[in-house]
């Protein structure tokens, strides 16, 4: 689960990770008032979307309107907010269609002496959380990792203990952080690693992380992703979820206990198991088609879930055909077949439907489909299924 | 021979009184697995379909001589259940549960590695030595005893591969579902070592997917240490970046973990990579012929 920068910073403040004062607003007038409230000479107006690269990104059809704007008056703050709110911001992470800006964050300015990058992830190779700090703040970390990986300093840590003091000293030495800034860095990095563990993050990124003229380390950004699997112990975080940032059909699928990702093609697929679902997309493409989605109905799918899955697939206006690929293990082919028959009565198929069944209770399942009045094109194996759906939708 | 489990393996089920635990424990017993009991804290002394239930794993091991366990407890309690099995000296721990927090697995991973136990999963279908011992949720009847070692990060895709190798009369030595999470107890390399030394295994099929770099690491290992024929398939060539494809671990992030990179690394190591999921069995045949 992703959250907005302003939400991340509220959590940071409570966890002792230094941030600047700021206010989240939803209208240009409020942005002007927030500027006055901050009382400084400069403030920064920042678009709040769940994607990085906002500073370099711009509003669609308005290349001059960047996602992050430095303002020197209440009027400028108001104008910046007006230029962003309700419009689509395109960044390197949003894709060409962009993401609508519903909120902006008006934050106090500060005296920046250095810009750094800080990130924490769970490293899959060492199987540990790893703190990464780089001198290359403010730029895309992916680029740094690609071109100059030696500039990223990494320290793995034990989740029960957190970052050890010597690890902070190593990082400071490598980055040339001394004196007051080193003290501030110790407090900052220790608190940040604690935060990552306490909140079950899967990603925490601060870019830029700054050191001020007086040697204070401050988070100017907060990009946080929580581990969905750990949400059961963070019920309070649920209220931070912003559904307007998520694809509507994906929210709907989530509610039905389905794992669904919308894609741009026109052949919808319904599969049991994540690996097989991905492979079904792959084989559609391999035979010249374009998959419209990833959909895993899971092992214990019941009729209601499968019916809802069909509704979601058919509500995609690009959908020209549906491929059902089931390898029955726990999920029985008969369950899927009867759900399919139920769903067709309720939803009504207007596009070609190719079904490939294999595994537990396959003969009975196939027979049920044959005897029903659902218009099904049956396939004997994966290749046959892919070829038939591609032909039927061509 | 085979790897990890065989007809002598004595298995318990942690979470045997739950619906899923009971259903699959009985499925394993019906297959022929030596199921010797189960564990559910607070329900010791009960009986599930003739199987004794114990309060602790330690007790179950003392009374039954179990050396393997399959874990079906809910995600909030899975880490604890794994650690309890490690503490009791269980040799093979298969954690089937999906949805375990990754930080829990960081803690568990260290302890498992420091012990003599082998953890398979979590978020996996389990493992099976056809005709001898099934520990997990896979449909037993698609498997046939034979000579291919199959390992995979996915469940149903493994069934597909097993089906194809069974149809080609190759059969399987032992099939292992590694699990779809970012941190799992056993990886490809651990199993390559075992398959390489196993007499029954004549060729190895590894099924990977997008996300992480386990396949690339495995490819490098195969190049140096594996002399048996190896075939592979990578799922997710059409997966978009930044989206979690069902499995918590199946995500392309920061441009890393793409299918293209993995396929290139595998081919570079001389592994036959199936271009489509329908050709996994054929890829194994090709690898055997090339050798």
């Amino acid at each position: 689960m992703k959250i907005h920068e302003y939400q991340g910073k509220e959590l940071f403040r409570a966890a002792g990770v230094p941030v600047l004062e700021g206010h989240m607003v939803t209208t240009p007038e409020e942005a002007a008032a927030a500027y006055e409230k901050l009382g400084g000479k400069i403030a920064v107006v920042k678009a709040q979307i769940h994607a990085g690269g906002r500073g370099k990104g711009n509003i669609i059809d308005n290349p001059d309107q960047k996602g992050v704007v430095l303002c020197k008056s209440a009027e400028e703050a108001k104008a910046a907010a007006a230029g962003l709110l309700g419009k689509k911001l395109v960044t390197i992470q949003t894709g060409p269609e962009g993401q609508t800006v519903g909120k902006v964050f008006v934050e106090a300015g500060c005296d920046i002496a250095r810009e750094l990058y800080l990130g924490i992830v769970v490293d899959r190779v060492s199987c540990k959380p790893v703190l990464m700090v780089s001198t290359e703040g403010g730029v895309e970390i992916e680029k740094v990792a690609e071109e100059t990986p030696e500039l990223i300093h990494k320290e793995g840590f034990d989740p029960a203990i957190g970052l050890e003091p010597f690890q902070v000293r190593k990082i400071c030495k490598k980055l040339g952080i001394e004196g007051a800034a080193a003290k501030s860095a110790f407090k900052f990095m220790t608190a940040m690693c604690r935060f990552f563990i306490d909140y079950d993050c899967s990603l925490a990124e601060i870019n830029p992380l700054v050191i001020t003229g007086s040697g204070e380390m401050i988070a100017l950004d907060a990009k946080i992703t929580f581990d969905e699997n750990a949400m059961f112990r963070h019920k309070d975080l649920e209220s931070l979820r912003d559904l307007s940032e998520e694809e509507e059909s994906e929210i709907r699928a989530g509610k039905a206990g389905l794992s669904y990702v919308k894609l741009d093609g026109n052949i919808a697929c319904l599969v049991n198991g994540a690996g097989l679902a991905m492979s079904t997309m792959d084989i559609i493409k391999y035979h010249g088609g374009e998959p419209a989605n990833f959909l895993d109905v899971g092992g214990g799918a019941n009729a209601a879930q499968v019916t809802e899955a069909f509704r979601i697939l058919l509500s995609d206006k690009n959908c020209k055909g549906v491929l059902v690929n089931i390898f029955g293990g726990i999920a029985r082919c008969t369950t899927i077949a009867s759900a399919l028959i139920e769903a067709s009565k309720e939803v009504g198929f207007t596009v070609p439907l190719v079904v490939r069944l294999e595994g537990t209770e396959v003969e009975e399942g196939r027979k049920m489909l044959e005897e029903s009045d659902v218009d099904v094109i049956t396939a004997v194996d994966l290749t046959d299924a892919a070829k038939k759906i591609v032909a039927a939708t061509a | 021979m085979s790897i990890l489990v065989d007809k002598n393996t004595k298995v318990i089920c942690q979470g045997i009184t739950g619906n899923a635990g009971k259903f699959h424990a009985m499925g394993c017993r019906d297959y022929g697995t030596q199921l010797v009991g189960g564990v559910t804290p607070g329900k010791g002394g009960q009986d599930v379909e003739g199987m004794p239930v114990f309060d602790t794993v330690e007790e179950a091991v003392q009374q039954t001589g179990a050396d393997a366990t399959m874990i079906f407890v809910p995600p909030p309690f899975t880490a604890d259940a794994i650690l309890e099995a490690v503490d009791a000296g269980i040799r093979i721990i298969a954690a089937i549960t999906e949805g375990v927090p990754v930080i829990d697995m960081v803690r568990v991973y260290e302890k498992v590695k420091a012990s003599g136990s082998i953890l398979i999963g979590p978020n996996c279908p389990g493992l099976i030595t056809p005709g001898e011992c099934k520990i997990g949720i896979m449909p037993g009847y698609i498997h046939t005893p034979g000579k291919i070692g199959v390992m995979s990060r996915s469940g149903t895709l493994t069934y597909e591969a097993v089906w194809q190798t069974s149809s080609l009369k190759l059969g399987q030595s032992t099939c292992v579902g590694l699990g779809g999470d970012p941190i799992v107890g056993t990886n490809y390399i651990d199993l390559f070592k075992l398959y390489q030394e196993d007499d029954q295994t004549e060729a190895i099929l590894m099924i990977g997917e997008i996300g992480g770099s386990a396949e690339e690491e495995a490819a490098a290992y195969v190049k140096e240490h594996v002399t048996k024929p190896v075939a592979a398939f990578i799922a997710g060539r059409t997966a978009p970046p930044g989206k979690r494809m069902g499995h918590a671990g199946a995500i392309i992030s920061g441009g890393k973990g793409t299918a293209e990179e993995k396929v290139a690394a595998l081919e570079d190591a001389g592994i036959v990579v199936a271009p489509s999921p329908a050709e996994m069995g054929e890829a194994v045949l090709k690898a055997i012929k090339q050798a």
Side-chain angles (χ1 to χ4, degrees):
Chain A
M1 178 182 126
K2 290 180 182 173
I3 58 170
H4 288 296
E5 174 195 2
Y6 78 93
Q7 296 168 320
K9 285 182 172 171
E10 276 172 35
L11 297 175
F12 278 4
R13 187 174 283 120
V17 176
V19 290
L20 296 168
E21 190 190 346
H23 304 281
M24 185 277 286
V25 301
T26 55
T27 68
E29 291 70 28
E30 285 171 1
Y35 178 92
E36 299 290 358
K37 208 164 154 188
L38 291 173
K41 286 204 177 72
I42 54 166
V44 184
V45 173
K46 305 167 94 175
Q48 299 294 292
I49 57 169
H50 286 182
R54 293 167 298 164
K56 291 198 174 69
N58 57 266
I59 294 296
I60 285 186
D61 300 331
N62 186 2
D64 295 331
Q65 181 65 63
K66 300 290 178 193
V68 176
V69 186
L70 190 68
C71 301
K72 290 183 178 144
S73 70
E75 277 314 300
E76 282 183 28
K78 188 176 171 181
L84 291 169
L85 286 163
K87 310 218 165 59
K88 286 194 179 229
L89 180 62
V90 179
T91 79
I92 187 160
Q93 294 183 355
T94 60
E97 69 281 1
Q99 232 157 292
T100 305
V101 182
K103 303 176 180 95
V104 296
F105 188 52
V106 185
E107 187 176 54
C110 75
D111 152 35
I112 299 174
R114 282 186 79 180
E115 288 195 10
L116 305 169
Y117 164 91
L118 183 150
I120 310 176
V121 294
V122 177
D123 178 43
R124 294 166 68 157
V125 178
S126 63
C127 297
K128 268 186 185 168
V130 172
L131 169 72
M132 300 178 289
V133 188
S134 162
T135 49
E136 307 301 291
V139 295
E140 292 152 35
I141 195 66
E142 288 89 352
K143 226 178 210 169
V144 182
E146 185 105 336
E147 291 163 10
T148 47
E150 69 280 6
L151 294 177
I152 303 175
H153 303 292
K154 297 182 182 179
E155 291 290 328
F157 60 94
D158 183 324
I161 296 163
L163 205 62
E164 304 277 4
F166 79 87
Q167 295 182 295
V168 181
R169 291 200 299 275
K170 268 169 78 184
I171 291 174
C172 285
K173 181 75 186 175
K174 282 178 181 158
L175 266 52
I177 298 170
E178 297 166 333
K183 271 192 185 149
S184 179
F186 174 74
K187 195 181 145 215
F188 189 103
M189 289 181 198
T190 309
M192 200 51 223
C193 289
R194 192 74 266 147
F195 176 92
F196 185 86
I197 301 301
D198 286 349
Y199 282 94
D200 276 293
C201 300
S202 49
L203 172 79
E205 233 179 355
I206 301 171
N207 191 16
L209 165 71
V210 302
I211 298 176
T212 63
S214 59
E216 201 186 350
M217 191 172 264
I218 296 174
L220 277 207
D221 189 20
K223 194 174 161 202
I224 308 292
T225 309
F226 300 115
D227 179 1
E228 293 278 358
N229 287 349
M231 293 308 281
F232 66 84
R233 56 187 172 213
H234 302 287
K235 295 267 190 317
D236 50 324
L237 295 179
E238 205 51 55
S239 65
L240 302 182
R241 200 184 282 272
D242 184 349
L243 292 177
S244 68
E245 291 281 330
E246 293 169 30
E247 181 74 38
E248 202 189 314
S249 50
E250 290 177 15
I251 297 169
R252 217 174 128 185
K255 278 185 189 151
L258 305 162
S259 183
Y260 172 83
V261 177
K262 191 180 175 325
L263 302 172
D264 300 329
N266 56 17
I267 299 177
C269 36
L270 185 155
V271 190
N272 67 325
L276 193 59
M278 266 188 274
S279 305
T280 305
M281 288 159 43
D282 295 349
I283 201 166
I284 288 170
K285 177 95 174 176
Y286 184 69
H287 289 287
E290 287 290 340
N293 65 282
F294 165 93
L295 173 62
D296 171 14
V297 296
N302 57 36
Q305 280 175 306
V306 175
T307 309
E308 177 68 0
F310 277 119
R311 277 196 215 109
I312 292 167
L313 296 184
L314 296 171
S315 69
D316 179 355
K317 52 186 185 305
N318 293 333
C319 172
K320 292 265 189 315
V322 181
L323 170 57
V324 174
N325 182 20
I326 299 294
F327 203 113
I330 321 170
R332 299 181 179 101
C333 291
T334 45
T335 311
I336 298 291
S338 70
L340 214 150
I341 295 163
E342 278 298 306
S344 80
K345 277 183 205 150
E346 200 192 307
V347 186
F349 285 99
T350 48
V351 294
L353 173 68
V354 173
V355 178
R356 181 266 179 146
L357 293 179
E358 199 57 73
T360 311
E361 297 180 1
V362 60
E363 293 307 327
E364 299 92 321
R366 284 182 186 156
K367 196 159 170 248
M368 284 166 69
L369 285 180
E370 264 165 40
E371 288 168 359
S372 76
D373 45 15
V374 186
D375 200 2
V376 173
I377 305 168
T378 51
V380 292
D381 60 30
L382 258 178
T383 302
D384 187 39
K387 282 183 176 165
K388 278 178 173 158
I389 191 68
V390 171
T393 53
Chain B
M1 285 290 287
S2 53
I3 66 166
L4 301 169
V5 294
D6 58 29
K7 59 181 185 303
N8 300 315
T9 308
K10 288 184 180 169
V11 184
I12 55 165
C13 174
Q14 287 170 265
I16 195 168
T17 54
N19 280 337
K22 180 179 166 186
F23 179 79
H24 292 292
M26 292 310 132
C28 291
R29 186 170 70 174
D30 294 345
Y31 186 77
T33 301
Q34 268 202 69
L35 185 75
V36 294
V39 174
T40 299
K43 297 197 174 168
Q46 292 184 11
D47 172 286
V48 172
E49 307 268 338
M51 285 292 125
V53 180
F54 301 93
D55 282 318
T56 66
V57 178
E58 184 178 41
E59 215 183 336
V61 169
Q62 279 165 1
Q63 309 257 340
T64 66
D67 61 344
T69 178
M70 52 183 151
I71 296 178
F72 281 92
V73 306
F77 316 113
T78 303
D80 191 50
I82 296 170
L83 293 174
E84 185 182 358
V86 170
D87 175 74
I90 294 263
R91 188 176 58 91
I92 302 289
I93 304 165
I96 312 300
T97 308
E98 176 173 8
V100 181
V102 70
I103 293 292
D104 289 7
M105 284 310 301
V106 170
R107 239 175 63 219
V108 166
Y109 185 84
E110 288 275 311
K111 298 223 162 108
V112 171
K113 286 293 148 183
S115 76
S117 302
I118 293 174
L119 170 68
I120 308 289
N123 189 12
C124 80
L127 68 165
I128 180 170
T129 293
E132 299 193 30
C133 180
K134 163 177 128 94
I135 300 180
I137 61 176
M138 65 291 281
Y141 77 94
I142 60 172
H143 301 80
T144 44
K147 53 192 181 186
I148 311 300
V150 181
M151 53 181 163
S152 170
R153 279 164 65 184
S154 149
T156 45
L157 189 54
T158 318
Y159 309 162
E160 187 74 49
V162 165
W163 184 247
Q164 289 175 24
T165 50
S166 285
S167 303
L168 292 169
K169 308 270 183 261
L170 293 165
Q172 306 85 35
S173 54
T174 303
C175 306
V176 184
L178 302 174
D181 279 355
I183 296 183
V184 291
T186 297
N187 61 36
Y188 298 112
I189 296 175
D190 301 323
L191 295 184
F192 268 121
K193 287 178 192 164
L194 299 176
Y195 284 131
Q196 175 67 24
E197 285 164 18
D198 174 44
D199 298 342
Q200 189 183 332
T201 304
E202 289 178 25
I204 304 156
L205 172 58
M206 68 175 275
I207 299 160
E209 62 189 29
I210 55 159
S213 57
E215 291 81 2
E216 287 90 329
E217 289 147 33
Y221 181 85
V222 168
K223 207 172 174 179
E224 294 295 319
H225 304 283
V226 180
T227 55
K228 291 182 180 177
V230 180
F233 174 71
I234 301 293
R237 289 185 198 228
T238 51
K243 288 279 192 179
R244 167 175 154 170
M245 306 303 280
H247 289 156
I251 181 165
I252 299 169
S253 52
K256 289 284 165 194
T258 63
E260 288 72 26
E261 283 176 313
K262 292 176 189 294
V263 170
L266 293 167
E267 285 179 343
D268 180 58
I271 296 169
V272 179
V273 183
S276 122
E279 293 165 51
M280 293 186 281
E282 295 292 339
V284 176
L285 276 183
K286 197 172 156 195
I288 293 171
K289 274 186 199 132
Q290 275 182 11

